[in-house]
Amino acid sequence: MEGFEINTFPSENTKKISLIWLIVAGLVIGWVNGFWGGGGGMICVPVLISLLKLPEKSAHATTLLIMLPLSICSFTIYLMKGSVDVKMSIIVGTGFVVGGVLGAILLKNINNVVLRLFFAGVIIAGGVKMLL
């Protein structure tokens, strides 16, 4: 399949990317998020950085936009299957919203190197916890 141009930012050069790679990446990210009910963002950020050459902060912010409708779809399916504790979701969701706002504010002001190290640390810690 031929590549197509994606203009990520007016200040950057236009990149040629294979449409098939973007579709495959989207399928994998969607599957991970749907299968585990989350976690697609941990794949999405590195994909956006490596495949689309997005700056790190833009990759994190873009991931949020990508994950929102995906999470809503996954949530709807889990809700229809009766797998959601609505009361607990409201309580945790309140903290989630506050944390999300604080995280977005912090993302705007954090150094890229610190962001990269923190993100890597979170991924490693999650992997270690899963192994144990």
Side-chain angles (χ1 to χ4, degrees):
M1 188 170 259
E2 286 189 37
F4 70 101
E5 294 183 1
I6 294 179
N7 197 359
T8 56
F9 292 99
S11 62
E12 290 188 25
N13 293 333
T14 303
K15 311 287 183 192
K16 273 201 154 200
I17 297 161
S18 171
L19 180 59
I20 193 75
W21 282 114
L22 293 175
I23 292 170
V24 168
L27 286 169
V28 170
I29 292 164
W31 179 83
V32 166
N33 206 69
F35 188 76
W36 282 295
M42 293 294 190
I43 298 171
C44 192
V45 170
V47 165
L48 293 177
I49 291 170
S50 63
L51 205 59
L52 295 181
K53 309 297 183 214
L54 286 181
E56 294 204 26
K57 290 180 183 178
S58 297
H60 285 274
T62 303
T63 294
L64 292 174
L65 179 62
I66 292 169
M67 299 310 293
L68 179 63
L70 177 59
S71 295
I72 291 170
C73 290
S74 297
F75 165 74
T76 302
I77 292 169
Y78 284 119
L79 183 65
M80 290 172 22
K81 289 184 172 186
S83 301
V84 177
D85 182 336
V86 176
K87 182 179 178 184
M88 187 60 66
S89 297
I90 291 170
I91 295 168
V92 174
T94 301
F96 189 84
V97 169
V98 172
V101 170
L102 294 174
I105 291 168
L106 180 62
L107 178 64
K108 183 178 178 184
N109 298 311
I110 196 169
N111 177 293
N112 283 336
V113 173
V114 173
L115 175 63
R116 185 178 307 129
L117 290 172
F118 183 72
F119 186 68
V122 168
I123 291 175
I124 291 168
V128 169
K129 181 165 177 30
M130 294 292 291
L131 290 173
L132 303 175

